[in-house]
């Protein structure tokens, strides 16, 4: 369903069988763009965009993967790449010029991104199995990067305010990292290696 001017949508479903795949696109506004690619079975892609000059892109290969993107405002961008089985990505962006990038390779990984405001940036990369990432950013020019490699990692980022930066890198198995920042220009950098470590960071105020 497309309403407005100069909107475009492209959906490609390929593979030897490509059974039971589904896609849904709803665009309202002008100059919005959507591209969806699916290879395998039981994959699902959904994109809802309201506003102008928004862009949504998803590429999924495997079985039972799901990618959803909901964007409202102008000049928002969402990219989701999932390779394997049972991976799930959910992106919600409200405001202007927000950017989300999700890359998941393996099985049963999950990523959720929720951004509100202007010029927020989220970059999530997960390799392995059963890794989970949850990023919430509300404000202006906040930045989050999550990199997880292994099995059973969990990362949660909550940032409110302006120009906060969070970096989480986890390698091995079963790590947990939680970062909370509220204010301006706070920086958190978490690196964990090995197995079953935990890190919690909370910063309030402005640097």
């Amino acid at each position: 369903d497309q309403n407005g001017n100069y909107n475009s949508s492209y959906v490609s479903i390929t593979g030897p069988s490509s059974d039971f795949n589904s896609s849904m696109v709803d665009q309202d506004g002008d100059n919005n763009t959507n591209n969806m690619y699916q290879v395998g079975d039981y994959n699902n892609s959904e994109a809802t965009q309201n506003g102008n000059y928004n862009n949504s892109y998803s590429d999924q290969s495997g079985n039972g993967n799901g990618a959803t993107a909901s964007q409202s405002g102008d000049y928002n961008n969402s990219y989701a790449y999932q390779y394997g089985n049972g991976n799930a990505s959910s992106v919600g962006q409200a405001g202007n010029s927000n950017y989300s990038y999700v890359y998941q390779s393996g099985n049963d990984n999950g990523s959720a991104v929720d951004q509100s405001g202007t010029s927020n940036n989220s970059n999530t990369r997960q390799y392995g199995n059963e890794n989970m990432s949850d990023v919430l950013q509300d404000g202006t020019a906040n930045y989050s990067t999550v990199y997880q490699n292994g099995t059973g990692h969990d990362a949660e980022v909550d940032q409110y305010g302006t120009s906060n930066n969070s970096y989480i890198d986890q390698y091995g198995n079963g790590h947990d990292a939680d970062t909370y920042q509220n204010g301006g220009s706070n920086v958190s950098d978490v690196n964990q290696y090995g197995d079953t470590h935990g890190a919690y960071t909370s910063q309030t105020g402005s640097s």
Side-chain angles (χ1 to χ4, degrees):
D1 184 15
Q2 299 190 107
N3 296 297
N5 301 308
Y6 305 108
N7 295 304
S8 67
S9 178
Y10 177 82
V11 177
S12 173
I13 299 175
T14 60
S17 58
S18 294
D19 293 329
F20 305 105
N21 294 298
S22 62
S23 64
M24 186 281 289
V25 179
D26 188 353
Q27 300 190 125
D28 191 351
D30 297 331
N31 296 288
N32 296 298
T33 303
N34 171 74
N35 288 277
M36 294 175 174
Y37 300 88
Q38 298 184 74
V39 179
D41 300 327
Y42 297 97
N43 297 301
N44 178 64
S45 300
E46 298 181 10
T48 302
Q49 302 191 121
N50 295 292
N52 304 309
Y53 296 99
N54 295 299
N55 175 57
S56 175
Y57 182 101
S58 65
D59 185 1
Q60 301 185 110
S61 179
N63 301 315
N65 299 298
T68 63
S70 177
Q71 303 189 121
S72 62
D74 299 332
Y75 298 102
N76 296 298
N77 286 275
S78 172
Y79 296 89
Y81 301 84
Q82 300 190 127
Y83 306 106
N85 302 316
N87 298 299
S89 170
S90 174
V91 176
Q93 301 192 125
N96 300 317
S97 302
N98 295 297
Y99 177 90
S100 172
Y101 179 94
V102 175
Y103 184 101
Q104 300 189 126
S105 178
N107 300 317
D108 301 316
N109 297 297
S111 172
V113 177
D114 186 355
Q115 300 192 123
S116 299
T118 304
S119 299
N120 296 297
N121 188 309
S122 173
N123 189 315
T124 300
R125 298 170 187 261
Q126 301 190 127
Y127 303 85
N129 303 316
E130 299 177 356
N131 298 300
M132 299 295 164
S133 174
D134 190 347
V135 176
L136 187 155
Q137 300 192 123
D138 187 349
T140 302
N142 295 297
Y143 179 82
S144 167
T145 178
V146 174
Y147 181 95
Q148 301 191 122
N149 192 322
T151 301
H153 299 307
D154 185 82
E156 182 173 348
V157 177
D158 294 280
Q159 299 195 122
Y160 305 88
T162 304
S163 299
N164 296 297
N165 288 267
S166 171
Y167 307 91
I168 294 176
D169 293 275
Q170 302 192 122
Y171 304 83
N173 301 295
H175 298 311
D176 182 80
D178 295 327
T179 298
Y180 173 87
Q181 300 191 128
N182 190 335
S185 301
N186 295 296
V187 178
S188 172
D189 192 351
V190 175
N191 296 272
Q192 300 193 117
Y193 303 85
D195 298 325
T196 62
H197 297 306
Y200 176 76
T201 303
S202 178
Q203 299 189 121
T204 302
S206 300
S207 65

